[in-house]
Structure formats: C-alpha cells, structure tokens
Amino acid sequence: MSLLHYLLILLICTAAAALMLSISLRLVVSTAIIHARYRIQSRPIFEPTTLDNLPITFRPKLGELIRRMQAMGFVAVANVTAREPNAPQQVTQCMLVNRQTGTRAAIFCLIMRNQYLPSIAFVNEYSDGTDIRTANARSVEFARQGPRRFRESLPRDAMVEEMFRRHAAQVAAHAPTDAAPILPEPGREIEFVSARHAEARAAALPK
C-alpha cells in the first residue's frame, strides 16, 4: 500500500474520530442542559417513606385514601420515596395491589420545596403488552402510544371510588383473556417500584 493510501486512511479515521467526539460532546452537553433545566436524575435514591418525607397536611389525606382503597379490595404493599440528590424535589409513592382484579394503584405526592401535588393512578398491565391506566394527572406514561395502550385521564378532584369504577370499566372492555396480569412479587415491591420509576424516567429523556 502506497504512502498516499496510508495518508488517506489516516485522514478518514481522524475525521471519523472527530465526528464521534463531536457527537459525544453534544450528548454530554444535552444531558447537562436537561439536568440543569429539568433536574432529571438518571439514578434517584429510593428509600422507605417516613413521616418526615410527607407534608404535614398530606398525611391525613394519605391515610384516608388508603382506608377508602382498602374498602375496594386494595392492600398497601410499599411506600417509597424517590429523592433527587441535587434537586429540590422528591416523589413519594404508596403502592397498593388488588390481586383479585390484577390491579395496581399508586398514590403519588410530588414535593417541590414548600409545595406538593398529590395524584392517583390505577394500572392493569398484562404479559401480552396490554396496558390500561386511569389517573387524575397526566404523566409520561400517558404520552406513550401503542396499539394495546388504553388511557383515561380524569379531573384532579375526581373521587377515588369513581376513578376505580371507570378503570374497572376500561379493564372489562380491553383486558385480554389469554394473558396474565403483571403484579409485583410479594416481598419485592420496592424493587418493582424502582424499576418502573427508572423506565418512566428513561422514556422522559430524549432519544
């Protein structure tokens, strides 16, 4: 191979390396901008929720919601807090499960400095990819489209009993007859919540 060929190969490799470096730098800068603007962490810290994690005025509301959902056949199985180390916000999630209907429910509380925003969601997921959700607040999951995704967004002040009634109607209309519901294994609920939280955050990041 002639010296000219070697030089051409060297130039091509150098140009390719420069292009890859440019792309990598853009990804780093984009990630930094997203983090600075939206405070999105790729690995939030999960820990069991304590009273100190909950706003004082939210505590009785959470207890009331849990009691009302227990009356509908749900059992509280996990209560975790996702804390952002470098951001002034955290999310608490109380997960309840109704194994008879194959339904998960979550009571969320987004806390940002001195303000908080609670929300509720009911979810039925199945092994064939069917995903049925009813919530009183839109989320990343509501933006994800697919042939087996069914969503209903209700007003924020919707009664939890009415939400579950509407969700049950959706499940009756769209649930598959030949697929198993996806529920957390007993004793591994926190791992389940952590994995779902990571998936939601991954979906929120630009591809």
Side-chain angles (χ1 to χ4, degrees):
M1 186 178 293
S2 67
L3 178 61
L4 179 59
H5 286 156
Y6 277 117
L7 288 175
L8 285 174
I9 292 173
L10 180 60
L11 286 172
I12 291 171
C13 291
T14 302
L19 177 60
M20 292 302 295
L21 178 60
S22 174
I23 293 172
S24 298
L25 287 174
R26 289 180 184 180
L27 286 173
V28 170
V29 171
S30 297
T31 302
I33 291 173
I34 291 168
H35 171 69
R37 183 173 299 172
Y38 302 108
R39 298 296 186 182
I40 293 177
Q41 293 282 343
S42 59
R43 292 181 180 177
I45 297 172
F46 286 88
E47 54 195 12
T49 299
T50 65
L51 281 179
D52 291 337
N53 297 129
L54 299 172
I56 293 177
T57 55
F58 179 64
R59 296 172 192 174
K61 181 178 179 64
L62 176 61
E64 178 193 352
L65 284 171
I66 291 175
R67 286 192 295 272
R68 289 163 64 182
M69 294 172 82
Q70 286 176 335
M72 296 186 290
F74 286 87
V75 176
V77 295
N79 201 335
V80 298
T81 295
R83 183 166 52 83
E84 305 286 5
N86 300 312
Q89 66 189 44
Q90 66 180 29
V91 178
T92 67
Q93 176 180 350
C94 177
M95 183 170 69
L96 304 95
V97 170
N98 185 329
R99 295 193 179 275
Q100 183 176 354
T101 62
T103 307
R104 301 194 319 268
I107 304 171
F108 297 100
C109 185
L110 172 62
I111 304 167
M112 301 181 67
R113 293 189 173 91
N114 296 325
Q115 298 181 333
Y116 68 90
L117 186 65
S119 61
I120 301 170
F122 292 96
V123 181
N124 275 65
E125 285 184 286
Y126 298 89
S127 56
D128 68 343
T130 300
D131 187 319
I132 306 169
R133 295 174 187 263
T134 305
N136 63 352
R138 295 185 65 82
S139 66
V140 171
E141 285 295 326
F142 270 71
R144 297 173 66 183
Q145 301 298 319
R148 295 177 178 173
R149 296 182 182 276
F150 305 94
R151 306 285 187 264
E152 184 172 14
S153 182
L154 300 177
R156 190 169 289 280
D157 60 353
M159 299 290 286
V160 67
E161 291 84 1
E162 174 64 10
M163 289 183 64
F164 186 48
R165 187 190 69 77
R166 296 277 290 267
H167 180 74
Q170 275 211 95
V171 172
H174 303 298
T177 58
D178 56 351
I182 297 176
L183 293 172
E185 296 179 25
R188 303 189 65 179
E189 291 87 359
I190 292 181
E191 295 176 35
F192 186 91
V193 172
S194 301
R196 292 309 166 114
H197 192 89
E199 290 173 7
R201 285 187 169 268
L205 292 172
K207 301 295 186 290

